[in-house]
Amino acid sequence: MSTLDQIGKRTPYKVPEGFFESSADLIMARIEQEPRKVVRSRFFTSFRAYAAAAAAAIIVVLGSIFIFNESNHVSLNELNDDFMRLSSADRDQILDMYEDDLFLNL
Amino acid sequence: MDNKSIIKNMRADMQKGFRLLLDAYQEKLYWHLRRLLGSHDDASDALQETFIRIYRNFDSFKGDASALTSWIFRIATNEAMRMIERRPQPTAQIDDPTVQPLADEYVDYSDLEAVKLQNAILALPPKQRAVFNMRYYDELSYQEIADAVDTSVSAVKVNYHLAKEKIVNAIKS
């Protein structure tokens, strides 16, 4: 009759000759083919979030300016029509006023 | 190589650090898996899968050096449980000595007492078998075993003592 104490940690298990060396080589070979997930540091994670927020803010501001300008845009034809609706006296006064304007005459 | 150095090396250079972990744990995990599965081929397959999972999931390991052993044993034990579910294992009743679940090319059948003990262990329910092996052979603490099998310390203690009682009775007969 045997007891657990008599047997202790002895087991009947065996492994093939050189098993652990070849097993380690196989595992390392498989590991080398594994794609590694790139773990970004907290700095870059935060930086990316701030950059995304800044880009979104710029888009909103530029978009607003563009839409605002679009809604207030007056075409040259409309300007010409408005000008022609003025009295001849008013037209002469405007032409006299802007005749020497550097920016209008570029 | 201690756990702290292994973790430090793995975080600095994954390939180099992983090799250190492999050297430190390969034999321990093989014997753990072999005692759970019985067959050398199954233990060898489970060992490879265990290390691949360790490599893939190391980034999710947030514990300190003291938690590394139970984390690794947890992965290995889960792999063995998956294998037990997938592959039909030889069934045995612990009180029936005529049923011999241990049938493998790499077993010394001349050591009758040791064969009898392993047959008794293989006849335990898988989770109880894992608890018994981690305590009796690997000498993990009850807390480490509880972490590895995701249960309470008191449940581990009860399982271990029940398993030991069954085994003692089985090898006496």
Side-chain angles (χ1 to χ4, degrees):
Chain A
M1 188 174 75
S2 56
T3 67
L4 197 55
D5 288 339
Q6 283 172 333
I7 302 168
K9 294 184 180 178
R10 197 175 80 240
T11 75
Y13 296 127
K14 299 184 291 182
V15 291
E17 185 89 22
F19 166 71
F20 289 113
E21 292 77 11
S22 59
S23 167
D25 291 344
L26 270 173
I27 291 166
M28 287 310 291
R30 281 189 64 183
I31 291 306
E32 278 159 25
Q33 292 172 351
E34 280 284 312
R36 282 288 297 154
K37 282 182 280 185
V38 178
V39 180
R40 295 180 194 280
S41 73
R42 282 186 186 169
F43 170 78
F44 284 111
T45 310
S46 306
F47 177 78
R48 278 163 58 87
Y50 287 128
I58 289 167
I59 289 167
V60 168
V61 170
L62 290 179
S64 304
I65 291 168
F66 178 75
I67 290 164
F68 178 79
N69 283 347
E70 279 290 303
S71 61
N72 290 281
H73 181 73
V74 179
S75 71
L76 279 175
N77 288 338
E78 288 170 321
L79 193 64
N80 188 53
D81 291 342
D82 290 340
F83 183 74
M84 294 311 289
R85 278 196 287 271
L86 294 172
S87 66
S88 59
D90 288 338
R91 277 183 289 193
D92 290 338
Q93 189 185 351
I94 290 169
L95 290 171
D96 287 340
M97 190 187 298
Y98 292 106
E99 192 175 17
D100 299 317
D101 190 301
L102 177 67
F103 295 102
L104 284 178
N105 293 296
L106 273 174
Chain B
M1 177 67 64
D2 58 47
N3 283 349
K4 197 174 173 182
S5 305
I6 290 170
I7 292 170
K8 191 178 166 190
N9 275 284
M10 283 179 83
R11 287 185 177 147
D13 180 340
M14 188 60 183
Q15 295 269 333
K16 187 181 153 204
F18 184 81
R19 180 73 215 203
L20 297 173
L21 181 137
L22 184 63
D23 291 342
Y25 279 96
Q26 184 184 214
E27 290 200 30
K28 276 183 204 169
L29 289 185
Y30 170 80
W31 292 118
H32 173 62
L33 292 163
R34 182 75 190 272
R35 287 188 290 262
L36 284 174
L37 297 165
S39 142
H40 165 71
D41 288 343
D42 286 351
S44 176
D45 289 349
L47 183 71
Q48 282 200 31
E49 291 310 312
T50 297
F51 277 107
I52 299 298
R53 284 179 194 276
I54 290 170
Y55 184 83
R56 283 180 187 157
N57 296 300
F58 184 73
D59 290 336
S60 68
F61 172 70
K62 303 294 179 205
D64 57 14
S66 63
L68 185 67
T69 303
S70 51
W71 184 71
I72 287 173
F73 270 83
R74 184 192 180 107
I75 293 172
T77 306
N78 285 343
E79 192 54 42
M81 295 300 156
R82 267 191 289 274
M83 197 163 272
I84 289 167
E85 279 173 22
R86 270 201 311 265
R87 300 180 189 181
Q89 299 291 307
T91 52
Q93 297 297 317
I94 198 161
D95 52 355
D96 183 355
T98 61
V99 180
Q100 301 293 305
L102 188 59
D104 192 80
E105 187 184 348
Y106 299 104
V107 172
D108 177 10
Y109 289 102
S110 66
D111 191 345
L112 298 176
E113 287 180 329
V115 170
K116 197 172 185 181
L117 172 59
Q118 291 309 312
N119 276 328
I121 292 171
L122 287 170
L124 293 170
K127 199 169 175 180
Q128 206 169 63
R129 194 187 314 169
V131 167
F132 178 81
N133 285 342
M134 282 191 274
R135 182 70 184 159
Y136 186 74
Y137 290 104
D138 302 304
E139 298 180 1
L140 298 192
S141 69
Y142 287 120
Q143 183 62 61
E144 284 176 313
I145 299 167
D147 292 341
V149 295
D150 199 18
T151 190
S152 66
V153 169
S154 53
V156 169
K157 285 181 181 175
V158 169
N159 261 301
Y160 177 69
H161 289 290
L162 279 174
K164 195 172 174 183
E165 202 177 310
K166 287 183 198 173
I167 288 166
V168 166
N169 288 333
I171 59 177
K172 261 198 286 191
S173 57

